[in-house]
Amino acid sequence: MGGILVVLTLQGGAATPAGLDLLGLAAEIAQVDGGEVTALALGEGGAGAGQGLISRGADAVLYCADPALARHPGEAGMQVLAQAEREVQPDLLLLAADSVGRDLGPRIAARLGAGLVTEATSAALHAGRVEVTRPVFGGKAIARMAATTAQAVITLRPGAGAARAADPSRTGTVRELAVQIAPAANWPTVVRREVEASSGPRLEEATAIVSGGRGVGGPEGFSLLHELAQALGGAVGASRAAVDEGWVPAALQIGQTGKAVAPDLYIAVGISGASQHMVGCARAKTLVAINRDPDALIFDAARLGLVGDYREALPALTRAIRELS
Amino acid sequence: MHVVVLLKQVLDPEIPAKAFDIDQGRKAPKVERAPQVLSIFDGNALELALKLREARADVRITALTLGPQQADEALRKALALTCDEAVRVDAEEGALDSHQKARLLAAALRLLEPWDLVLAGRQAADWEAGQVGAMVAEELALPCVPFVSRVEQAAEPLAVRQQLESGYAVVQLGGPAVLTVTNDETNVLRAAKVKDVMAAGRKPLRVLQAGEILADLGESAVEVLSLALPPKPERAEIVEGGSMEEKASALARRLRELGAI
Ligand SMILES: Cc1cc2nc3c(=O)[nH]c(=O)nc-3n(C[C@H](O)[C@H](O)[C@H](O)COP(=O)(O)OP(=O)(O)OC[C@H]3O[C@@H](n4cnc5c(N)ncnc54)[C@H](O)[C@@H]3O)c2cc1C
Ligand SMILES: Nc1ncnc2c1ncn2[C@@H]1O[C@H](COP(=O)(O)O)[C@@H](O)[C@H]1O
């Protein structure tokens, strides 16, 4: 197999955990087949981040911080990616299954006529091609898939956990990608960005999350979740069902199509345990379920469970935790 | 303004795992008796279109699906929700990869021109690929805005809200585009009125033959090597106690022992 092009977005001038997973996976594949790993770093700080990306598995780094990327993420992103693809001519393009990769992955695959497998939870080289494993049908089945084309595109779910420790002895080239972006009149333009406001820690950074589902029964019930979250110094999240009911804003949604979180403690309250929810909290160190149905699916995923009505369980648990601390 | 919404009829994602079985020959679920529903994000896309039509009088909505005759159910539902037209591309879509589906849908969209917006779900609720919407945009050489949850400005220039990991962006459109729709608290699909359901049964559905709108479908670029049930997980340790106070204390103690608090 030839080279691998890894597409990653820089945040605050550094790779995200999802980006480091991509590099780790690419390095693993390259180790077997001898191909070169090129990282395409999008966003501010590419020159400074380059050596860090090499220490994590890249052999070469191309970076681009053209301001058009912020104003027209999709269309400018496609121009940058297409240019990098032309230069590197990779056999495999690896992107994160995040807002950037889920946007660009299908488009570049369609443009190149390359086979695309999205939302991989793992990927490995078998007999010269990369086989991907991913849950489908809400986790009721696991599929193994592969591209049948010479060139393949894969998006990897955040949390796939392939990142490597930094190896500062690794060397490689870092250069800016030369690309002229001429925005067309019909390009969508970002005119405003709102970073969500929240009291308490942000979900992605919270060490404890109390998450509510349809079983909470209404917006009022969420106040009990807030009290427990406060006692834990944590944040409140939700399932899609709670968002759909209009009890909490969409920014709180955790899951495959919401946020992926990794707290030390995740307490799921009145959530049944659909896999589309569980992939969002699978990286929690300790998962607790509070559900009145002893047969609820969520007890398959949780480490600890309490069977009962949350309206009684949460106040009691909040008190017990306050007493311990 | 003409809006086309891409709708897919799928195996009900809410059926319990016990009711789910795999046909190993086809590497697909057994669906003979399983209930089919409109894919959930497609419902959100449809609701977004209906809201847009409420916000401005000139909107006309076409529902477009690709699938066998059974997919007509999705179109009937769309008509019952007062979509203006419904079109099905007749094909065994289960055998196609995302790019082939996108090419067929793009071919149908060319026949339905002119339109201003194409709405798709961000991801179908069966194989959860999240590919077809963006690929349709690429086939039509149109811009694509993913993860749209609502219209921020219905008057020209149209602006939409795009959900991002850490909040949202307001994105202004510069002409025809494909939007892939995600859920939020404003776009839960409404229920159809009984009288509209009756009327929908009488409205015509237009059927296009796949072979007539696209001569060469090409080969599938993706192969399913295996489809298997997931391994049986271990059940949680359930805390015991005579009263809720006891259970809660036991839970707090276990959390302390595990170093979680
Ligand atoms: C493609 C796709 C993507 C999706 N993405 C997401 C996603 O990102 N995030 C997400 O969350 N979902 C997602 N979903 C939806 C998901 O499949 C489920 O429908 C959803 O997670 C269910 O939410 P829930 O568990 O809150 O509700 P339910 O399934 O209705 O469960 C409610 C639970 O509450 C319990 N309960 C009821 N009353 C009480 C009480 N008083 N005390 C204690 N327990 C009680 C019940 O026993 C039950 O287990 C997605 C679905 C699809 C098809
Ligand atoms: N067979 C189909 N007919 C109509 N629309 C489809 C079809 N398949 C996918 N789509 C659209 O594309 C979206 C994403 O699908 P997917 O890429 O399969 O996850 C869906 O939510 C639909 O809006």
Side-chain angles (χ1 to χ4, degrees):
Chain A
M1 210 169 88
I4 304 176
L5 180 62
V6 171
V7 183
L8 42 86
T9 318
L10 300 176
Q11 261 168 31
T16 60
L20 296 179
D21 271 349
L22 295 176
L23 284 176
L25 173 63
E28 200 174 292
I29 295 170
Q31 207 162 27
V32 181
D33 78 355
E36 182 166 281
V37 177
T38 305
L40 171 64
L42 304 175
E44 297 289 332
Q51 182 51 42
L53 301 181
I54 287 166
S55 77
R56 297 291 201 137
D59 299 305
V61 176
L62 294 172
Y63 61 87
C64 178
D66 194 297
L69 284 170
R71 283 178 58 73
H72 316 281
E75 312 317 308
M78 274 304 286
Q79 287 208 347
V80 171
L81 177 52
Q83 176 64 31
E85 194 279 333
R86 274 192 294 274
E87 290 185 19
V88 176
Q89 304 209 337
D91 282 348
L92 174 63
L93 288 88
L94 273 180
L95 301 95
D98 60 11
S99 63
V100 174
R102 282 168 169 160
D103 182 8
L104 302 182
R107 291 207 244 178
I108 195 76
R111 190 171 294 186
L112 299 170
L116 166 67
V117 188
T118 43
E119 308 285 323
T121 48
S122 72
L125 201 61
H126 286 281
R129 69 174 178 176
V130 180
E131 291 185 9
V132 164
T133 308
R134 56 157 307 181
V136 289
F137 296 92
K140 292 188 194 84
I142 308 291
R144 245 174 358 106
M145 306 170 100
T148 55
T149 44
Q151 198 176 33
V153 181
I154 292 171
T155 72
L156 184 71
R157 274 209 191 141
R164 304 189 147 193
D167 173 359
S169 71
R170 287 177 49 88
T171 57
T173 56
V174 179
R175 78 176 161 87
E176 185 168 8
L177 182 76
V179 53
Q180 296 290 324
I181 303 176
N186 72 338
W187 282 12
T189 306
V190 173
V191 289
R192 187 155 63 85
R193 279 177 198 272
E194 295 286 337
V195 178
E196 72 209 20
S198 70
S199 53
R202 277 161 39 82
L203 275 172
E204 289 90 335
E205 285 140 26
T207 54
I209 293 174
V210 185
S211 200
R214 186 175 279 133
V216 174
E220 317 77 35
F222 270 86
S223 64
L224 294 178
L225 278 76
H226 278 285
E227 276 166 39
L228 177 55
Q230 208 168 30
L232 293 164
V236 169
S239 74
R240 171 174 171 142
V243 172
D244 283 355
E245 296 284 356
W247 302 338
V248 294
L252 298 197
Q253 182 170 317
I254 287 169
Q256 184 186 323
T257 46
K259 296 195 160 130
V261 295
D264 292 336
L265 174 61
Y266 188 88
I267 305 185
V269 181
I271 292 178
S272 61
S275 93
Q276 294 100 344
H277 182 80
M278 301 320 291
V279 297
C281 56
R283 281 182 302 148
K285 280 212 195 81
T286 305
L287 216 136
V288 178
I290 298 179
N291 198 300
R292 70 174 178 198
D293 173 7
D295 296 325
L297 191 64
I298 187 133
F299 292 123
D300 278 347
R303 171 86 172 78
L304 293 173
L306 187 157
V307 177
D309 191 322
Y310 86 93
R311 281 167 290 207
E312 294 169 43
L314 286 201
L317 183 60
T318 306
R319 276 195 299 279
I321 283 171
R322 287 222 164 94
E323 274 162 29
L324 277 186
S325 50
Chain B
M1 173 172 213
H2 184 196
V3 180
V4 184
V5 189
L6 305 185
L7 301 179
K8 183 174 188 193
Q9 188 77 351
V10 297
L11 176 66
D12 183 354
E14 301 282 347
I15 60 165
K18 285 194 288 277
F20 183 90
D21 204 2
I22 292 168
D23 174 346
Q24 287 301 349
R26 289 186 305 121
K27 298 194 188 92
K30 288 190 182 149
V31 290
E32 288 72 33
R33 283 182 316 251
Q36 301 262 323
V37 297
L38 177 64
S39 188
I40 56 170
F41 291 107
D42 302 4
N44 299 124
L46 188 50
E47 179 64 29
L48 195 143
L50 294 168
K51 287 235 160 68
L52 184 61
R53 194 175 59 184
E54 282 158 6
R56 48 186 285 171
D58 65 342
V59 174
R60 185 161 65 86
I61 306 172
T62 299
L64 172 61
T65 193
L66 165 72
Q69 196 172 4
Q70 194 179 25
D72 283 347
E73 278 174 48
L75 298 180
R76 289 278 170 224
K77 178 161 189 164
L79 290 172
L81 285 158
T82 72
C83 281
D84 301 281
E85 267 157 76
V87 181
R88 175 168 63 89
V89 179
D90 187 50
E92 270 312 319
E93 73 99 42
L96 305 175
D97 74 9
S98 297
H99 194 201
Q100 292 172 312
K101 292 180 214 174
R103 291 181 57 219
L104 273 171
L105 287 165
L109 281 161
R110 284 194 200 98
L111 290 179
L112 298 175
E113 274 174 341
W115 33 255
D116 304 273
L117 281 182
V118 176
L119 303 185
R122 67 178 288 170
Q123 179 178 49
D126 48 8
W127 288 85
E128 301 172 6
Q131 304 178 357
V132 170
M135 285 181 161
V136 166
E138 187 63 32
E139 286 304 314
L140 295 167
L142 282 184
C144 176
V145 184
F147 328 119
V148 170
S149 65
R150 53 179 101 167
V151 173
E152 291 277 340
Q153 181 173 301
E156 306 294 334
L158 210 65
V160 297
R161 175 178 295 204
Q162 177 183 36
Q163 296 281 350
L164 296 169
E165 277 91 355
S166 58
Y168 65 88
V170 176
V171 181
Q172 189 176 300
L173 303 184
V178 178
L179 313 182
T180 77
V181 177
T182 194
N183 70 298
D184 80 358
E185 61 277 22
T186 67
N187 63 19
V188 178
L189 183 60
R190 65 192 66 186
K193 299 201 183 88
V194 178
K195 72 163 176 44
D196 292 334
V197 176
M198 314 269 278
R202 293 189 296 270
K203 284 193 197 165
L205 301 180
R206 183 168 166 202
V207 179
L208 302 170
Q209 294 305 324
E212 285 167 20
I213 61 171
L214 188 66
D216 178 18
L217 249 185
E219 299 279 303
S220 171
V222 178
E223 184 182 355
V224 178
L225 304 166
S226 70
L227 188 67
L229 297 176
K232 185 113 194 68
E234 246 177 73
R235 292 291 279 182
E237 167 190 337
I238 304 289
V239 294
E240 302 292 345
S243 69
M244 190 55 85
E245 295 299 326
E246 283 172 30
K247 287 188 193 177
S249 308
L251 180 53
R253 263 197 319 279
R254 285 296 285 133
L255 287 174
R256 173 53 60 84
E257 284 163 17
L258 293 171
I261 55 172

